[in-house]
Amino acid sequence: MTASRPGADPQALARVLQGLNEAQAYAAGLDEGPILVIAGAGSGKTRTLVHRVARLVASGVPPSAILLLTFTRRAAAEMLARARELMPASAGVEGGTFHSLCHRLLRQHGSRLGLARNFTIIDRADAEQILRGIVEERGLKSRGDKRFPKASTLADLISRSRNLEKGLTEIIEERAAHLAAYTEAALTVERAFEAAKREQQLVDYDDLLYLSERLLKENPGLRQMLAERWRFILVDEYQDTNAVQARLVELLAGPRKSVMAVGDDAQSIYRFRGARLRNILEFPSRFPGTRLVKLEQNYRSTQAILDLTNQIIAGAAQRFDKRLFTELGQGAAPELLRPRDERGQSRIVMERIRSLLDEGEPADRIAVLFRASNDSYDLEVELTAEGLAYVKHGGRRFLEAAHVKDALSHLRVAMNPRDYLAWQRLLMLLPGVGPKKAQQVIARVVAAGDEGSEEIDAAHALAALPESLRGPQFEELGRLMELLCRPGADPLEAVEAVLTYYEPLCRDAYEDHPRRLRDLGELPGLARQYATLPEFISEVALDPPSNYADETAGPRLTLSTIHSAKGLEWRHVFLLWACDGRLPAFPSLDEPEALEEERRLMYVASTRAQKTLTICAPREYYGRGQGLMQMRLSRFLEDLPPRLVREEAGARPVFAVPEPAPAPATRGSQFQNRPFPVGRRVSHAAFGQGKVMGYQGDKKIIVHFDRLGLKILLLEYANLQPA
């Protein structure tokens, strides 16, 4: 247990371990040295971390000597707030994400790598724009070549190359063999991308980690200083770390190696992001003398659900052996439904949900989970037709929206006037400014800095533009930049000024500007949480708000991919498409490592359920180019002991319910303009053939196209024809 130190509080030492079970208390009370906590789903890992922080402080460890690393800033803030409730002196503990920690290190010490203090953090959309520009400037894409990889594909390949620490050529061979002919072009783009980031002082999310590792490796004095500063390091969700994050932990820990890593190998499901299962499996060998603690008591699910999940994960080839148990009672066994097809699946899930709601179950206690986003399209149409509101996790993030990026580009150039990307974005908003003129203005702005000092003032650079480039549209932009470039500019005032300036530009640029302007109303509330403009821009890029759904809409059903559901829980969970080819997905069937992760996905989905778990596995699927296929039950559910799952009474298949015939239009009806019955096959000039899924009012039609998925079209312009 933790030794007593000068400044220890004996009463607090006893108090901070109260309420923990035996395994949690043991983990929280251990002293220095490496510790690995294998925390099963719902076993109270957050509680263990919180109490360990409080316990260390109560034992006399200075709060500033403790560093807590998590994968979201919200998680770190919540844990530290709970630690302060237990032990008020914990207020000085440092916590945050890997990326935010690396961001702070690079702001303070990045000059040792030639990085300016005012570097800009770019997101995925920014990276794609730069890559697109490189392809165009270098003439890498032949005219009419439709097979040349898109900017999004190039960005994905380059990021995978870095996160998996393999050469780009190898990544293309393994994951995009159909693009092998473009390997040399991709390598050229990769080199130019790195050069552009260096020239413009831009840093992407991958750079934050790799540059920080390089900083620590090349500066042993700095490394030693940080190791002496943070004597205790706690890392949450260790199974989700990639190779460089694991190395950063080792570098920061120094020779003392007082690291507590908490995670669950059975919930490692982010391999596509570079997460490395071996990090948690190899922790004891990387940190000799590791004490292993297993948290196996589950506080979320009934034993019947845990019996199934234990059986699912028992088939994993590489794992720490553990068996979850609970004191919440046995409960009902999970139910396996075998409807005939996707429509049958949607109907029965909708009916079960409706029954739960009729029984008084709150909508936000019910979730439908699935492997891929398109797995829920048919159900979404069904729920919409029934008027059941839902929220879907996994959509576009707030800061990826074009109008939000437009507004923030003005703040970015005020902070880093060498940010070509932001300059181009805000200049192209101005009437009469095209790509050529924008490039001329940017060249002048950067030249103004090159001719004088290293620092460039955006407002002064704009004012110095020659008359040939300065039009009346630049006057208001110049006044805005004067305000933004003032020393100590208040983030809230700056954001309000940008929105006032940007509103008429937004109205001109977007037909749906009322919705976009409502979205932008979120920015002032975010800005007022920060003391300086650089802090606001950097932190919002590091930990952006999620989807901008209306939080006042009341409780709604949750539809979510399994990846987005990790860490969440619901009283009632429905799992769609538990079939070979869907879960596990077809591309994983012949790759052992990928197939292992698919098993963990099934485990994560099942452990989200508290009270009931309903698994759906349709018997048939109609695929474009494949015809009607018989679907095999997911291999992870085959050969289960009969007591673990129950099939619907009589084990009869649930057949698809035919679409009702459309009601005849009546005088004054709001639905008179519905030219195609639901279920009819139609053809579109650009999108090809598809099936009518429903209508939105009398102006929009919902069609699921064979090649492109679900689309909502304006009837007036769609020009649909019977297939």
Side-chain angles (χ1 to χ4, degrees):
M1 302 297 282
T2 305
S4 181
R5 298 178 174 84
D9 184 338
Q11 292 183 336
L13 277 170
R15 187 183 69 248
V16 295
L17 296 185
Q18 290 178 356
L20 300 180
N21 65 38
E22 184 177 353
Q24 292 171 336
Y26 177 70
L30 287 171
D31 198 20
E32 294 188 358
I35 305 163
L36 176 60
V37 179
I38 299 299
S43 63
K45 71 175 180 63
T46 300
R47 184 179 179 84
T48 304
L49 279 168
V50 166
H51 282 257
R52 176 161 176 78
V53 169
R55 170 77 178 180
L56 288 172
V57 174
S59 71
V61 176
S64 59
I66 303 171
L67 174 65
L68 173 64
L69 291 173
T70 66
F71 275 80
T72 67
R73 187 172 60 183
R74 178 178 296 179
E78 178 187 338
M79 289 186 198
L80 294 180
R82 288 171 58 179
R84 287 194 298 272
E85 291 177 5
L86 283 170
M87 189 71 191
S90 302
V93 174
E94 291 193 57
T97 65
F98 277 94
H99 288 87
S100 65
L101 171 67
C102 292
H103 168 245
R104 295 201 302 271
L105 290 177
L106 293 175
R107 289 282 181 206
Q108 295 169 9
H109 309 287
S111 58
R112 305 185 190 199
L113 303 177
L115 194 63
R117 288 180 63 89
N118 65 339
F119 67 81
T120 298
I121 300 172
I122 60 172
D123 64 12
R124 175 60 178 263
D126 295 328
E128 289 179 14
Q129 189 171 339
I130 295 172
L131 294 172
R132 200 174 292 114
I134 291 170
V135 171
E136 293 175 0
E137 290 169 10
R138 306 227 169 183
L140 296 173
K141 179 180 179 181
S142 302
R143 189 170 184 177
D145 185 357
K146 296 183 178 180
R147 295 184 59 203
F148 192 92
K150 296 179 180 178
S152 57
T153 302
L154 290 169
D156 184 56
L157 292 171
I158 292 170
S159 183
R160 281 177 182 266
S161 170
R162 300 194 70 181
N163 280 300
L164 297 177
E165 300 191 335
K166 296 180 178 180
L168 184 57
T169 301
E170 185 178 357
I171 291 295
I172 292 174
E173 290 174 354
E174 289 180 358
R175 298 177 180 270
H178 60 290
L179 299 176
Y182 299 100
T183 300
E184 284 304 317
L187 291 170
T188 299
V189 171
E190 181 186 38
R191 290 190 292 267
F193 180 50
E194 292 303 316
K197 288 189 292 182
R198 286 195 301 272
E199 179 185 356
Q200 300 176 40
Q201 293 293 314
L202 305 177
V203 173
D204 63 26
Y205 295 144
D206 295 332
D207 293 328
L208 288 170
L209 300 177
Y210 284 98
L211 289 175
S212 295
E213 181 188 21
R214 182 182 150 202
L215 177 68
L216 294 176
K217 282 184 173 179
E218 295 179 2
N219 295 275
L222 173 62
R223 191 167 69 244
Q224 181 180 352
M225 181 193 78
L226 294 174
E228 292 173 355
R229 174 181 173 185
W230 293 312
R231 290 164 40 204
F232 292 87
I233 299 175
L234 294 83
V235 187
D236 190 20
E237 303 285 11
Y238 198 76
Q239 79 281 349
D240 292 338
T241 55
N242 60 22
V244 66
Q245 287 166 332
R247 293 197 298 268
L248 281 169
V249 171
E250 291 186 64
L251 289 167
L252 290 169
R256 186 178 286 107
K257 303 293 184 186
S258 283
V259 177
M260 174 185 270
V262 180
D264 184 4
D265 53 295
Q267 297 187 70
S268 179
I269 59 172
Y270 296 114
R271 180 167 164 262
F272 67 97
R273 295 181 188 167
R276 191 171 175 266
L277 176 65
R278 283 186 293 168
N279 286 350
I280 194 167
L281 296 176
E282 296 173 354
F283 187 92
S285 60
R286 300 288 290 269
F287 292 85
T290 291
R291 286 157 292 182
L292 178 64
V293 185
K294 297 179 184 178
L295 304 184
E296 297 175 291
Q297 183 171 354
N298 177 281
Y299 294 91
R300 174 187 299 156
S301 308
T302 62
Q303 190 61 52
I305 292 172
L306 297 180
D307 288 343
L308 174 63
T309 59
N310 285 332
Q311 185 73 22
I312 290 170
I313 205 61
Q318 292 183 304
R319 63 188 175 91
F320 286 102
D321 186 42
K322 63 180 179 299
R323 191 161 189 84
L324 298 181
F325 68 93
T326 186
E327 296 178 356
L328 298 178
Q330 182 65 25
E335 188 171 10
L336 175 63
L337 303 178
R338 299 301 311 272
R340 176 177 174 178
D341 56 12
E342 184 171 25
R343 176 48 55 89
Q345 174 178 252
S346 299
R347 288 293 176 88
I348 196 167
V349 169
M350 186 275 294
E351 290 166 2
R352 295 289 181 94
I353 289 173
R354 174 66 75 187
S355 295
L356 289 170
L357 296 174
D358 290 344
E359 292 168 7
E361 199 68 71
D364 56 2
R365 300 292 185 91
I366 306 170
V368 182
L369 307 183
F370 32 85
R371 173 66 176 82
S373 182
N374 61 312
D375 288 343
S376 70
Y377 285 166
D378 190 79
L379 177 61
E380 290 177 52
V381 173
E382 196 72 36
L383 293 173
T384 301
E386 286 293 315
L388 296 179
Y390 63 87
V391 59
K392 186 175 181 180
H393 291 303
R396 179 179 289 273
R397 293 177 69 85
F398 181 68
L399 292 188
E400 292 174 354
H403 48 295
V404 179
K405 293 179 74 68
D406 287 346
L408 291 181
S409 64
H410 299 81
L411 301 173
R412 283 173 49 169
V413 298
M415 189 180 86
N416 175 16
R418 292 184 183 273
D419 189 341
Y420 301 177
L421 203 62
W423 270 116
Q424 184 166 24
R425 188 168 200 108
L426 69 87
L427 289 171
M428 293 282 284
L429 292 168
L430 299 175
V433 176
K436 184 176 180 180
K437 187 168 185 177
Q439 289 174 7
Q440 292 173 335
V441 172
I442 294 169
R444 286 281 185 170
V445 169
V446 176
D450 294 338
E451 292 167 3
S453 64
E454 188 176 321
E455 297 295 328
I456 311 172
D457 184 290
H460 291 165
L462 278 177
L465 288 175
E467 287 299 325
S468 59
L469 291 178
R470 274 188 69 86
Q473 67 269 51
F474 281 83
E475 293 180 6
E476 196 170 351
L477 176 60
R479 287 194 292 271
L480 174 66
M481 283 300 155
E482 287 180 9
L483 186 152
L484 300 182
C485 292
R486 290 175 188 167
D490 177 70
L492 177 57
E493 292 180 6
V495 167
E496 292 286 10
V498 167
L499 295 185
T500 300
Y501 165 84
Y502 176 66
E503 181 174 344
L505 298 175
C506 182
R507 292 180 184 278
D508 290 340
Y510 302 106
E511 289 183 358
D512 59 344
H513 57 80
R515 177 185 65 81
R516 295 177 186 265
L517 291 172
R518 284 197 300 272
D519 296 341
L520 291 169
E522 299 289 328
L523 286 176
L526 293 172
R528 67 189 298 272
Q529 302 175 37
Y530 299 92
T532 67
L533 197 53
E535 182 188 4
F536 167 59
I537 290 296
S538 299
E539 289 300 312
V540 135
L542 282 169
D543 191 20
S546 346
N547 301 337
Y548 36 93
D550 182 6
E551 298 297 332
T552 65
R556 287 171 292 176
L557 303 169
T558 298
L559 272 57
S560 177
T561 61
I562 300 171
H563 287 100
S564 296
K566 185 173 172 290
L568 304 175
E569 59 187 51
W570 295 270
R571 190 175 295 172
H572 306 280
V573 169
F574 296 85
L575 177 61
L576 304 183
W577 283 113
C579 306
D580 261 26
R582 306 297 283 267
L583 181 60
F586 273 123
S588 305
L589 298 181
D590 297 323
E591 187 182 347
E593 192 174 347
L595 192 58
E596 283 286 284
E597 181 160 289
E598 296 289 315
R599 178 182 294 277
R600 296 193 294 270
L601 274 169
M602 176 75 79
Y603 174 84
V604 168
S606 302
T607 54
R608 301 308 95 198
Q610 297 173 314
K611 187 176 178 181
T612 69
L613 172 63
T614 304
I615 301 172
C616 298
R619 299 174 185 272
E620 297 177 355
Y621 169 68
Y622 183 86
R624 183 173 182 267
Q626 300 166 312
L628 190 65
M629 298 183 295
Q630 297 299 311
M631 300 299 290
R632 167 188 168 189
L633 180 66
S634 173
R635 62 189 64 194
F636 307 137
L637 300 176
E638 286 185 332
D639 303 323
L640 290 175
R643 65 178 179 82
L644 293 185
V645 292
R646 56 193 172 95
E647 291 202 57
E648 191 184 22
R652 61 178 179 80
V654 180
F655 293 95
V657 180
E659 287 286 349
T666 58
R667 190 170 185 174
S669 169
Q670 59 174 326
F671 302 129
Q672 294 185 36
N673 186 26
R674 294 190 170 189
F676 303 103
V678 173
R680 174 67 58 84
R681 299 279 297 173
V682 293
S683 178
H684 185 276
F687 303 149
Q689 292 192 5
K691 178 182 178 182
V692 176
M693 307 302 291
Y695 289 85
Q696 286 189 355
D698 61 351
K699 293 185 178 180
K700 296 181 180 179
I701 185 171
I702 305 171
V703 182
H704 191 281
F705 289 99
D706 299 337
R707 288 187 298 109
L708 302 175
L710 203 67
K711 288 189 177 293
I712 301 175
L713 309 173
L714 286 169
L715 276 166
E716 184 179 356
Y717 303 108
N719 194 26
L720 294 172
Q721 301 295 326

